[in-house]
Amino acid sequence: MAEVLTGHTGHPLRVPAPADERSARRTLREQVARLETELSELFCSSWPRGPKQLPLDWGVGGRGGPRLLSLAELEELRDELAVRVSEARRALSDRTWLEEQNRRRIEEMLLDPEAHHWEHVSSEDIGEPGCCHWHVRPRWGILGMFLNWWRVVISSGCPLPTA
Amino acid sequence: MTTELDLQLRDGWVEAELAEEFPELRLVHAALAATPGRSPRELKERLRGLADRYTGAKVIHMRQDSVPWAYRVFSRQVGIDPDTDRTPVEAIALERLRHGGLKSENLLDDALTVATAETGVPIVALDTTRVEGELGLRVSRPGEGLGEARPLSRSQIVIADEQRPVAIVLGEAAPYAGVTPACRHMTLCALQVKGVPRISVEEALWTAAEWLYTGRSG
């Protein structure tokens, strides 16, 4: 049993066959396909956030294609895609965490506006399209400020275009 | 009265080296008698109708649809950055977003745009009389180019006839093989890559051919 576990079975070790480059290239192409799929999914998940909310470089440079890439070029491409996917995943995860905090802040503002004077959250801050924003403002202007009457004003419209 | 279109779809040859690397790569082509010219009103209307179907969200999520995704992956695998050199269907969608519509160019370009936008399959048109022998796919040979002004780099994947390359895969046709106003017979070529069903390729060719042949889709 010990021989089996340690691999010392008394037989000479088999010399590995020379790597089949074509099969390696096929494997790399499959990895590239998988990574491209992941990158596409992350790109779609990032929508409607723009570069302001999610400053990410999605690009992975071309290699003068369409052409048959060598093993080294495919490896380089795979590695670059892997880096992009990992960066995108991290950035999106950080951003969605922040958006979750902002959603919670909206809840807190609605529950207790007096504790959140003048606080402002926009739909951009929670990763949604549109120009909606939640703003804690005093009821009846300066009178509300003195009497501590606060409320959340929800604006749902984009500003009208100016002529 | 126009006679019914009889389109014979043929599979082009694929060079062994390329077939070993991409076993599911195919070139499907079909020849038809058609002349370039102005787009009929129906085709312009179809372009407008297509343009109305695109929304920002749809274009963003297009890269996850099976056929555009397959061409995107193939582009990546052959060293094209699909975010810079867009796949044809994504290029059409992006043009729609940028210009607010799909601009009508001419019968040939519009027919190819409609076919590609509807199926996701890119098509290139060649002048049949300027193509010598069977069409197929291969890698470029040293010293080859698409005319003098467009040398080909090493191992470039091209559509070729029996003599020379006639178009770059997912790219432009050679000036000596492309369609000119004097053309009377065209060959439409569609590239099928892994993940693209044959029926999509056939539909793309039929759509383009019907527009070119009769000026209206059947």
Side-chain angles (χ1 to χ4, degrees):
Chain A
M1 178 58 85
E3 284 173 344
V4 173
L5 290 173
T6 54
H8 299 299
T9 54
H11 300 296
L13 285 173
R14 190 186 294 166
V15 180
D20 180 1
E21 206 175 296
R22 190 173 301 133
S23 130
R25 280 202 297 269
R26 195 172 305 132
T27 306
L28 280 166
R29 271 195 288 268
E30 278 163 17
Q31 290 172 352
V32 165
R34 232 177 0 254
L35 287 164
E36 176 59 39
T37 308
E38 274 185 61
L39 197 61
S40 293
E41 282 168 2
L42 287 165
F43 181 83
C44 292
S45 303
S46 77
W47 194 81
R49 301 170 191 92
K52 204 175 106 195
Q53 295 90 37
L54 205 61
L56 257 179
D57 180 11
W58 296 97
V60 175
R63 265 94 184 139
R67 60 189 189 84
L68 286 183
L69 299 184
S70 67
L71 190 65
E73 285 172 320
L74 278 167
E75 273 177 345
E76 200 183 63
L77 176 64
R78 187 262 325 262
D79 294 347
E80 245 183 84
L81 273 167
V83 169
R84 281 285 173 277
V85 166
S86 127
E87 282 174 354
R89 194 178 289 132
R90 196 177 322 119
L92 193 61
S93 162
D94 290 352
R95 180 70 200 173
T96 48
W97 182 83
L98 190 68
E99 287 164 0
E100 193 48 49
Q101 298 301 308
N102 287 332
R103 272 191 212 102
R104 186 180 294 176
R105 218 169 104 212
I106 292 172
E107 293 286 320
E108 287 166 0
M109 281 157 55
L110 289 165
L111 286 171
D112 186 11
E114 282 78 20
H116 300 272
H117 294 179
W118 301 112
E119 278 190 26
H120 180 276
V121 179
S122 68
S123 52
E124 229 176 47
D125 298 328
I126 58 168
E128 282 179 10
C131 309
C132 180
H133 62 257
W134 293 258
H135 196 184
V136 181
R137 290 157 73 168
R139 208 182 282 264
W140 298 329
I142 202 149
L143 180 66
M145 277 175 74
F146 286 124
L147 297 173
N148 205 23
W149 291 342
W150 294 80
R151 63 176 174 178
V152 178
V153 176
I154 304 170
S155 156
S156 57
C158 291
L160 290 169
T162 50
Chain B
M1 184 180 152
T2 54
T3 54
E4 201 172 310
L5 172 64
D6 178 27
L7 199 66
Q8 302 289 328
L9 303 186
R10 302 173 66 170
D11 275 30
W13 46 267
V14 182
E15 195 178 52
E17 186 188 358
L18 199 55
E20 281 167 4
E21 298 285 338
F22 295 97
E24 292 169 62
L25 192 63
R26 302 271 184 282
L27 181 78
V28 187
H29 59 93
L32 77 154
T35 51
R38 293 176 61 185
S39 290
R41 192 168 45 84
E42 293 92 337
L43 185 49
K44 288 179 183 171
E45 276 169 15
R46 175 65 72 89
L47 273 180
R48 271 195 295 276
L50 269 177
D52 291 343
R53 284 197 226 154
Y54 286 107
T55 60
K58 187 182 155 88
V59 174
I60 293 282
H61 289 93
M62 177 180 273
R63 62 183 66 198
Q64 285 190 305
D65 295 343
S66 62
V67 175
W69 170 83
Y71 286 104
R72 202 178 165 80
V73 165
F74 177 75
S75 293
R76 197 66 95 181
Q77 290 172 333
V78 295
I80 298 174
D81 176 9
D83 291 318
T84 311
D85 299 314
R86 304 270 172 191
T87 57
V89 67
E90 285 187 26
I92 291 168
L94 203 64
E95 193 208 307
R96 154 66 185 88
L97 288 192
R98 281 186 181 145
H99 304 293
L102 294 172
K103 199 176 153 207
S104 172
E105 301 282 347
N106 54 60
L107 176 61
L108 177 61
D109 287 342
D110 292 355
L112 299 189
T113 300
V114 167
T116 302
E118 284 185 349
T119 62
V121 177
I123 301 178
V124 64
L126 303 168
D127 186 336
T128 311
T129 56
R130 301 205 286 171
V131 170
E132 294 173 41
E134 272 294 298
L135 286 166
L137 295 167
R138 66 168 169 85
V139 292
S140 62
R141 292 168 189 146
E144 278 187 333
L146 294 184
E148 283 175 15
R150 178 68 166 91
L152 292 170
S153 60
R154 190 172 49 86
S155 298
Q156 196 117 31
I157 305 173
V158 293
I159 300 172
D161 63 13
E162 284 166 11
Q163 301 297 321
R164 56 193 178 169
V166 290
I168 297 177
V169 156
L170 296 178
E172 76 268 26
Y176 50 74
V179 172
T180 58
C183 174
R184 293 293 169 265
H185 290 87
M186 295 180 197
T187 299
L188 302 177
C189 307
L191 185 77
Q192 184 181 5
V193 300
K194 185 179 177 183
V196 176
R198 173 80 179 194
I199 195 162
S200 298
V201 177
E202 291 184 2
E203 190 191 341
L205 287 169
W206 272 99
T207 305
E210 280 175 350
W211 278 113
L212 287 166
Y213 189 69
T214 63
R216 73 185 64 195
S217 181

